[in-house]
């Protein structure tokens, strides 16, 4: 960590403490409060971590006011346009763009680990067919620690490497199997002659009864969706993975915890919730009714796909996703998709509304992704599993970074206790 050259002075009663200030590569200065309790006997209070840095990291940076997102310094717009998902995976995992040979080796490594242990197929058969695919993924990914014992020891760098590749390689297979199981179709095995995104599309949409040829434009759109969801600083699910890992839990358990957290509609579940909201709105003339509900403090309804804890400007991923939506829908000949028309009109009306402008509520990554995924043939229940598939590399990169931190301690927040003071037990006869 960089040396601090500045200090903050905090005076509490008769105590004055000097707190080091760190200046990051980018973003606001950070006050180091690690010694605050020892020196001043007080805690800080920040339940949603709105002003709290939980770690130092070199992987991803977001400037919410400027709508900037970079991975290892490279802007997301450039990566989405010029790179592809497995190259972004290499960048997130290793910190630098790969040479041609490094990229070839990495892609071969991932490609050759896409199958799952045949006996794991039985796990799927324990679930109801109508189980949400996220429930299946949480279960199956957690169960990987019951199969891949040779890559669960986090103290062994080699086992950490093997677990990383296994997870990145097998998530598309597991997600596709969860989908096939939910629609009663046979599992489709991965193929080593297909790229990552094409393999996933084929595992989802091909059937033994006929040949399936992946449309390169859909495959490119799928790959771009993976890239746009790869990592995003210390979001809720990444923080979950870091906290789980800080106890020494095995990588499969930590990633299963991340999947569970991502499922929530305030987080990765928003893409499914957003499309369901757009369908409920149905036609542009009903938009004012929903905007009024979103603004009504007495109505818990929120515009799904709008707002963000960090972005107080456009989510740069939404900008790229919007372009992709236009391309994919035109390709599929559904550029007049009524849902897309509702989405574009909703975005226009919301951004013209002072409520959203004043609160800096802009479309986020989930606003347009669902429209593309539905146009590609996915049911809404598969939207968040696809987000989880893509975010696995971000979770793994942050997990590895944390394990390599010599200052790693188990995460154990304190609290502001407002419960009952010490009191004696009262026998039931006297109550
Ligand atoms: C993701 O963290 C990440 O990086 C996440 C993510 C990633 O890649 O990992 O980017 C992925 O999770 C994107 C966000 C997807 N979620 C949604 O689209 C769900 C709808 N959005 C909201 O639930 C909300 O905006 C959050 C949860 C995303 C952010 O909430 P915050 O930062 O806790 O903000 P808040 O709830 O305190 O809201 C601030 C104000 C409130 O009004 P006041 O109490 O100040 O009067 O804005 C209002 C909120 O009521 N508000 C909304 C709103 N979002 C916030 N009002 C209407 N519609 C909304 N969508």
């Amino acid at each position: 960590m960089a040396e601090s050259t500045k200090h903050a002075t905090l005076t509490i009663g008769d105590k004055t403490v000097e707190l080091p200030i760190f200046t990051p590569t980018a973003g606001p200065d950070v006050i180091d409060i690690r010694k605050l309790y020892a020196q001043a006997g007080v805690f800080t209070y920040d339940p949603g971590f709105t002003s709290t840095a939980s770690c130092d990291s070199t992987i991803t940076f977001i400037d919410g006011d400027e709508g900037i997102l970079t991975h290892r310094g490279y802007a997301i717009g450039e990566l989405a346009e010029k790179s592809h998902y497995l190259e972004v995976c290499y960048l997130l995992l290793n910190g630098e763009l790969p040479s041609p040979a490094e990229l070839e080796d990495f892609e071969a490594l991932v490609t050759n680990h896409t199958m799952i242990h045949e006996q794991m197929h039985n796990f799927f058969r324990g679930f109801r067919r109508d189980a949400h695919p996220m429930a299946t993924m949480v279960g199956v990914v957690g169960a990987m620690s019951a199969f891949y014992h040779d890559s669960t020891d986090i103290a062994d760098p080699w086992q950490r490497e093997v677990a990383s590749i296994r997870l990145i390689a097998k998530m598309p297979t597991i997600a596709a199997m969860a989908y096939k199981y939910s629609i009663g179709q046979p599992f489709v095995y991965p193929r080593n002659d297909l790229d990552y995104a094409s393999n996933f599309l084929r595992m989802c949409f091909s059937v033994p009864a006929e040949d399936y040829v992946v449309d390169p434009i859909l495959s490119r759109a799928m790959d771009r969706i993976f890239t746009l969801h790869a990592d995003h600083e210390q979001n809720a699910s990444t923080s979950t993975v870091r906290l789980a890992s800080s106890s020494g839990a095995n990588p499969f358990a930590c990633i299963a915890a991340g999947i569970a957290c991502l499922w929530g509609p305030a987080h990765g579940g928003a893409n499914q919730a957003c499309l369901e909201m757009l369908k409920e709105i149905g036609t542009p003339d009903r938009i004012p009714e929903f905007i009024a509900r979103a603004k009504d403090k007495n109505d818990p309804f929120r515009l799904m796909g709008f707002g963000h804890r960090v972005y107080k400007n456009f989510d740069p991923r939404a900008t790229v996703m919007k372009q992709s939506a236009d391309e994919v829908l035109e390709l599929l000949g559904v550029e007049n998709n009524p849902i897309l028309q509702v989405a574009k009109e909703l975005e226009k009306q919301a951004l013209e509304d002072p409520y959203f402008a004043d609160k800096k509520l802009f479309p986020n990554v989930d606003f347009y992704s669902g429209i593309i995924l539905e146009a590609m043939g996915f049911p809404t229940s598969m939207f968040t599993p696809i987000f989880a598939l893509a975010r696995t590399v971000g979770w793994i990169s942050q997990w590895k970074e944390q394990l390599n931190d010599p200052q790693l301690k188990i995460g154990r927040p304190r609290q502001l206790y407002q419960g009952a003071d010490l009191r004696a037990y009262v026998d039931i006869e006297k109550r």
Side-chain angles (χ1 to χ4, degrees), residues 232 266-267 302-303 305-306 308-309 317 359 364 391:
H232 212 239
H267 190 13
R302 287 191 166 180
L303 282 190
F306 269 79
H308 198 276
R309 170 59 58 76
R317 301 168 297 177
K359 293 182 185 295
N364 57 45
R391 184 54 57 87

Side-chain angles (χ1 to χ4, degrees), residues 110-118 148 169-170 173 189-190 192:
V110 171
T111 299
N112 287 286
H113 287 83
T114 49
M115 287 177 69
I116 67 171
H117 192 293
E118 192 68 7
Y148 299 108
K170 298 177 193 311
T173 309
Y189 286 85
N192 291 352

Side-chain angles (χ1 to χ4, degrees), residues 62 229 231-232 234-237 262 265-268 270 294-295 297 301-312 315 317 355-356 359 361 364-366 387 391:
I62 300 169
H229 287 82
D231 189 46
H232 212 239
Q234 307 312 319
N235 58 85
S237 53
L262 186 77
H267 190 13
K295 293 159 59 175
K297 281 287 156 246
F301 172 77
R302 287 191 166 180
L303 282 190
M304 303 316 283
F306 269 79
H308 198 276
R309 170 59 58 76
V310 176
Y311 288 122
K312 300 312 172 190
D315 179 337
R317 301 168 297 177
Y355 173 93
F356 294 90
K359 293 182 185 295
L361 301 175
N364 57 45
V365 68
D366 295 302
F387 193 153
R391 184 54 57 87

Side-chain angles (χ1 to χ4, degrees), residues 23-52:
T23 299
T25 310
D29 280 355
V30 173
I31 298 174
D32 181 349
I33 58 168
R34 285 176 290 182
K35 294 189 169 51
L36 179 63
Y37 179 54
Q39 292 176 355
V42 294
F43 295 150
T44 59
Y45 181 66
D46 185 13
F49 308 110
T50 49
S51 305
T52 297

